[in-house]
Amino acid sequence: MNPVRASVVVMGVSGCGKSTVGRALADALGSPYLEGDTFHSPQNVARMAAGVALTDDDRQDWLLTLAGQLGAAQRQGQGIVLSCSALKRGYRDVLRSQSPDLRFVHLT
């Protein structure tokens, strides 16, 4: 089966099934899957482990890194599925900045 060249972000609140759905969607599309949380900085991981909510500033470099992954896939003509909360429009705008045809699947 030929992979579909779509880039998709599976988004939603913590614990809603983003990773499970994202992996299944990536398999169905024949595309790589990226777990967005694995791209957090050690500082962000430590803050979250301590129960400290991340601010928009804390998330900025993480979002830019994810956008870079999406953009690289697009430049290579490769589809990709990424799980990421992406609940704020500004976050989605950053992700879309390097992958204008990006699609979002919002799990509720």
Side-chain angles (χ1 to χ4, degrees), residues 9-55:
V9 171
V10 179
M11 58 180 274
V13 298
S14 178
C16 72
K18 295 182 297 290
S19 299
T20 300
V21 172
R23 281 193 289 279
L25 181 58
D27 287 346
L29 296 175
S31 297
Y33 168 73
L34 296 178
E35 171 60 59
D37 285 344
T38 63
F39 291 88
H40 275 293
S41 68
Q43 295 85 358
N44 281 359
V45 171
R47 289 177 61 85
M48 291 184 290
V52 177
L54 298 180
T55 66

Side-chain angles (χ1 to χ4, degrees), residues 55-99:
T55 66
D56 289 347
D57 287 340
D58 293 331
R59 287 185 169 89
Q60 188 62 29
D61 287 340
W62 172 68
L63 289 165
L64 291 171
T65 298
L66 296 178
Q69 294 290 317
L70 293 163
Q74 183 172 27
R75 287 188 298 278
Q76 295 167 4
Q78 177 180 345
I80 196 165
V81 177
L82 167 72
S83 64
C84 168
S85 57
L87 294 174
K88 291 186 177 182
R89 176 163 186 132
Y91 298 171
R92 295 189 298 275
D93 291 344
V94 171
L95 296 174
R96 198 180 295 114
S97 70
Q98 292 191 41
S99 185

